[in-house]
């Protein structure tokens, strides 16, 4: 612990940072978090907080959070930023919000504060940030007249739009294309690239999102045999000029309805907070959606706002509407996906875009135990990885685990699989849904996107039940056949994207009515 404290102190007091040093600092924190037990990390955090001479609140508190998972340190960062008032750089406010949000999404937080942090601290910080950006940068949209008749023109505003291999991109495009082709609306996707495109402070770990630099300007994008108008803004800096251009583009398009695709959608929320145009938010993950939209849809039918403590519930409950996100499976050519395992092997699948972060040491131990009990089985990880292959080396059944990297045809891959194993995580909903569509049963704990999509029949209460379910599917042909039928039936329940779009547009009409009533009451 003394060596760890000394190593961290060097970085915590350093005044000069470049990308390489920031990456080394991040790697050091990650190594310490993995190598020290929880009590040692708590002691280390207390030592650093007491002894390190630094005034960089963001740097120190983000590191202390990495060590402990204690949201107190994120609270300190948010209060520090907001109390800075107009002296705080909006770009730094924005960057800090997304760095914290990413850690929450990855499940890094622990403790009782988690039940209130998003609904209280993060939501209030986000609200103050949007209003500060509008005021300081002169970005309050004008209130547009509400036209008579039904919705005819829709702007779908997204924070990230990259390529057809990116699940949120596919979903955003699919919603827009269906509104256009099946419902006859004039639809444009506004790709704001609203995630951080560059580092704005020494938050550990840093966050820089991928940007498809070739998707710049206004063009017709063709994907999966359909075509939709897209206006894409790829400038990496979060700046007044960038946001002004986007706001003006939306105003020039003059939509009857703005659909905020995903939470923390600052551009859409500038319009919502000003009551400039009706805004409906579609969450791309389960749980609380940070949004100022007039109506915020659920990722599933259940009213998750009932779990918010009463003191913070009202702003979420009054705007919440039940919804099912829906899924459209990607195309498949049906060609065999080689896994390296012989035919007849019962193959467990672990699928995701962030497996290096989501597959913990505890998850690997769990998978190792499952393979130990299923001698005729193997496990394949599908998704880009860097560190995971090396972490398989100490496992007893490492020779029966394989990292396949990115699998272009995920449906063909599922054709080789017997069961989908979900590690404890927030995301993964799309991959699990496509597994269900192909009749691959899911095994998951009872929270996160996968649990929301798979439903209670595929959730297990604890580790022992997880192992028992996996062993049963791998060794009991009758149980596996029943589970396959249940998986396909579940996808029929959640996969009707056309019905989802129909409900979205109905909520859009409700948002228009709410805004009209609010304006009438104000007059």
């Amino acid at each position: 612990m003394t060596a760890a404290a000394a190593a961290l102190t060097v970085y915590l007091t350093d005044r000069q940072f470049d990308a390489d040093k920031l990456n080394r600092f991040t790697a050091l924190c990650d190594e310490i978090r993995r190598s020290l037990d929880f009590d040692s990390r708590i002691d280390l955090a207390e030592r650093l907080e007491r002894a390190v001479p630094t005034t960089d609140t963001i740097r120190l508190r983000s590191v202390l959070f990495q060590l402990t998972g204690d949201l107190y340190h994120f609270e300190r960062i948010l209060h520090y930023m907001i109390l800075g008032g107009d002296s705080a750089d909006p770009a730094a406010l924005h960057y800090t919000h997304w760095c914290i949000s990413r850690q929450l999404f990855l499940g890094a937080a622990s403790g009782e504060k988690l039940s209130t942090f998003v609904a209280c601290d993060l939501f209030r910080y986000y609200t103050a940030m949007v209003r500060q950006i509008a005021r300081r940068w002169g970005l309050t949209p004008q209130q547009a007249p509400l036209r008579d008749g039904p919705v005819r023109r829709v702007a779908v505003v997204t924070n990230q739009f990259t390529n057809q291999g990116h699940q949120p991109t596919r979903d955003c495009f699919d919603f827009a294309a269906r509104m256009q082709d099946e419902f006859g609306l004039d639809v444009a996707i506004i790709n704001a690239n609203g995630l951080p495109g560059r580092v704005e402070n020494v938050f550990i770990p840093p966050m820089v999102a991928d940007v498809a630099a070739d998707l710049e300007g206004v063009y017709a994008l063709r994907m999966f045999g359909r075509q939709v108008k897209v206006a894409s803004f790829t400038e990496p800096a979060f700046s007044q000029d960038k946001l002004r251009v986007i706001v003006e583009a939306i105003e020039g398009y003059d939509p009857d309805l703005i659909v905020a695709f995903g939470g923390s959608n600052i551009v859409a929320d500038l319009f919502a907070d000003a009551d400039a145009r009706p805004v409906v938010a579609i969450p791309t993950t389960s749980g609380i959606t940070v949004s100022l939209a007039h109506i915020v849809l659920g990722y599933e039918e259940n009213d998750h706002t009932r779990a918010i403590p009463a003191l913070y519930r009202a702003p979420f409950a009054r705007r919440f509407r039940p919804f099912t996100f829906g899924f459209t499976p990607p195309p498949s050519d049906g060609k065999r996906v080689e896994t390296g395992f012989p035919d007849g092997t019962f193959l467990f699948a672990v699928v995701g875009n962030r497996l290096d972060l989501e597959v913990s040491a505890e998850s690997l131990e769990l998978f190792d135990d499952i393979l130990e009990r299923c001698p005729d089985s193997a496990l394949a990880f599908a998704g880009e990885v860097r560190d995971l292959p090396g972490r398989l080396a100490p496992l007893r059944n490492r020779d029966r685990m394989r990292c396949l990297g990115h699998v272009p045809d995920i449906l063909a891959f599922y054709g080789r699989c017997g069961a989908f194993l979900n590690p404890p995580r927030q995301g993964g909903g799309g991959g699990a849904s496509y597994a269900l569509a192909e009749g691959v049963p899911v095994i998951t704990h009872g929270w996160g996107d996968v649990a929301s999509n798979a439903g209670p029949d595929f959730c297990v209460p604890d580790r022992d039940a997880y192992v028992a379910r996996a062993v049963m599917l791998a060794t009991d042909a009758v149980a596996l056949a029943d589970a396959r039928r249940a998986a396909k039936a579940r996808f029929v329940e959640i996969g009707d994207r056309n019905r989802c779009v129909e409900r979205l547009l109905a909520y859009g009409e409700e948002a228009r009515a709410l805004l009209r009533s609010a304006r009438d009451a104000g007059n």
Side-chain angles (χ1 to χ4, degrees):
M1 193 192 306
T2 300
L8 287 172
T9 299
V10 171
Y11 286 104
L12 287 168
T13 56
D14 200 327
R15 298 193 179 194
Q16 299 293 327
F17 271 88
D18 58 18
D20 288 341
K21 188 179 291 185
L22 194 61
N23 289 335
R24 292 196 301 272
F25 190 8
T26 300
L28 174 64
C29 291
D30 187 59
E31 179 185 351
I32 291 172
R33 188 178 68 250
R34 292 180 185 275
S35 61
L36 294 181
D37 61 36
F38 178 72
D39 289 341
S40 297
R41 286 185 276 115
I42 291 291
D43 291 344
L44 175 58
E46 291 176 354
R47 179 184 300 193
L48 293 172
E49 188 169 14
R50 181 174 61 250
V52 173
T54 180
T55 58
D56 191 335
T57 296
I58 293 173
R59 191 189 324 183
L60 175 62
R61 296 296 168 181
S62 63
V63 169
L64 297 184
F65 175 83
Q66 286 299 301
L67 295 175
T68 66
D70 187 351
L71 284 165
Y72 165 78
H73 299 294
F74 280 175
E75 289 175 344
R76 290 290 300 271
I77 291 175
L78 295 182
H79 296 162
Y80 165 77
M81 298 294 284
I82 290 298
L83 289 173
D86 284 353
S87 66
D89 178 15
L93 291 172
H94 167 259
Y95 180 76
T96 302
H97 169 78
W98 277 108
C99 286
I100 289 177
S101 296
R102 183 170 184 263
Q103 292 305 299
L104 297 176
F105 182 82
L106 292 174
S110 59
E112 295 179 353
K113 287 181 182 290
L114 190 56
S115 65
T116 61
F117 182 80
V118 174
C120 176
D121 299 84
L122 190 66
F123 178 67
R124 293 181 181 185
Y125 172 88
Y126 177 80
T127 303
M129 175 180 68
V130 171
R131 291 172 179 171
Q132 189 162 323
I133 288 170
R135 185 184 72 254
R136 290 180 59 187
W137 283 356
L139 292 173
T140 301
Q142 296 298 309
Q143 292 190 352
L146 296 173
R147 289 186 281 263
D148 294 331
V151 169
R152 291 185 290 272
R153 184 174 297 163
V154 180
V156 181
V157 182
T158 180
N159 277 320
Q160 189 177 39
F161 195 86
T162 56
N163 58 69
Q164 65 183 40
H166 180 239
Q167 181 64 51
T169 296
R170 290 200 303 262
D171 287 322
C172 179
F173 184 89
D174 191 56
F175 269 102
R178 288 175 185 270
M179 283 190 280
Q180 172 186 276
D181 297 340
E182 270 78 37
F183 294 85
L185 304 183
D186 184 353
V187 182
I189 296 171
I190 310 297
N191 177 25
N193 279 303
L195 302 179
R198 67 183 191 184
V199 171
E200 299 290 349
N201 54 45
V202 187
F203 189 107
I204 302 297
M207 176 185 177
V208 177
D210 292 333
V211 174
D214 57 323
L215 299 182
E216 171 64 37
V218 180
Y219 52 90
L221 178 68
R222 192 165 187 82
M223 189 184 296
F224 305 132
R226 296 186 174 196
Q227 183 172 291
V228 177
K229 295 190 297 290
V230 175
S232 186
F233 305 87
T234 60
E235 165 61 41
F238 183 83
S239 67
Q240 181 181 18
D241 288 343
K242 177 179 178 176
L243 263 64
R244 176 178 289 116
V245 170
I246 299 173
V247 168
E248 290 175 351
I250 293 173
E251 289 182 321
Y253 181 60
D254 194 21
D256 301 311
L257 173 68
I258 293 175
V259 173
F261 192 79
S264 299
N265 197 315
I266 290 176
V267 171
D269 286 335
L270 288 170
F271 284 87
D273 197 52
D275 282 340
R277 296 175 190 270
V279 180
V280 175
I282 301 178
T284 54
T285 187
S286 56
I288 298 173
T289 300
V290 176
S291 172
L292 304 184
H294 300 102
I295 289 177
V296 181
L297 304 182
Y299 186 73
E300 70 281 291
E301 300 299 318
N302 293 328
D303 183 0
H304 59 268
T305 68
R306 290 178 295 182
I308 300 174
L311 183 61
Y312 312 115
R313 186 181 306 140
F316 299 92
R318 67 170 173 258
R319 296 178 299 135
F320 171 81
R321 301 293 186 276
F323 190 66
T324 295
F325 186 73
F327 288 93
T328 300
S332 172
D333 60 17
K335 293 182 180 178
R336 176 187 173 91
V337 174
E338 294 300 332
T339 65
F341 298 111
D343 290 343
T345 302
F346 185 93
L347 190 64
F348 293 104
V350 181
V351 179
N353 294 321
R354 294 173 294 271
L355 295 180
D356 280 328
L357 297 170
E358 293 172 338
V359 178
S360 64
E362 292 76 15
S363 294
L364 290 178
E365 291 176 6
L366 170 67
F367 300 154
D368 207 17
D369 286 349
I370 290 171
L371 294 183
E372 192 76 11
R373 290 164 171 78
C374 305
D376 296 325
S377 68
L379 187 151
F381 296 95
E384 293 289 348
V385 291
R386 183 187 62 187
D387 303 327
L388 184 58
R391 292 168 51 209
L392 303 181
L395 302 179
R396 301 185 304 277
N397 296 283
R398 57 186 174 275
D399 293 337
R400 291 197 282 143
M401 297 186 191
R402 194 156 294 159
C403 295
L404 305 182
H406 174 63
V407 177
D409 192 334
I410 195 65
L411 299 188
F413 169 67
Y414 285 140
R416 300 287 310 278
C417 298
F420 180 104
L421 301 183
N422 188 48
R425 59 179 171 178
Q426 177 64 28
S433 297
Y434 302 148
L436 294 171
E438 294 301 299
V440 178
V442 168
I443 306 175
T444 182
H445 297 287
W447 59 272
D449 295 355
V450 173
S452 295
N453 292 335
D457 290 346
F458 291 98
C459 296
V460 294
D462 53 38
R463 189 184 192 278
D464 289 343
Y466 197 114
V467 173
R469 181 74 61 85
V471 171
M472 180 183 67
L473 293 176
T475 59
D476 186 332
V478 174
L480 177 61
D482 289 343
R484 285 188 176 279
R485 286 191 291 270
K488 290 185 176 182
R490 177 62 182 175
F491 186 77
V492 170
E493 292 181 36
I494 66 170
D496 187 352
R497 180 59 66 76
N498 249 34
R499 171 62 179 146
C500 297
V501 172
E502 184 178 32
R503 295 176 72 190
L504 167 65
L505 293 175
Y507 286 130
E509 296 292 0
E510 182 186 356
R512 297 176 78 203
L514 290 172
L515 184 54
R516 193 184 300 274
S517 296
R519 289 185 182 179
D520 290 344
N523 297 332

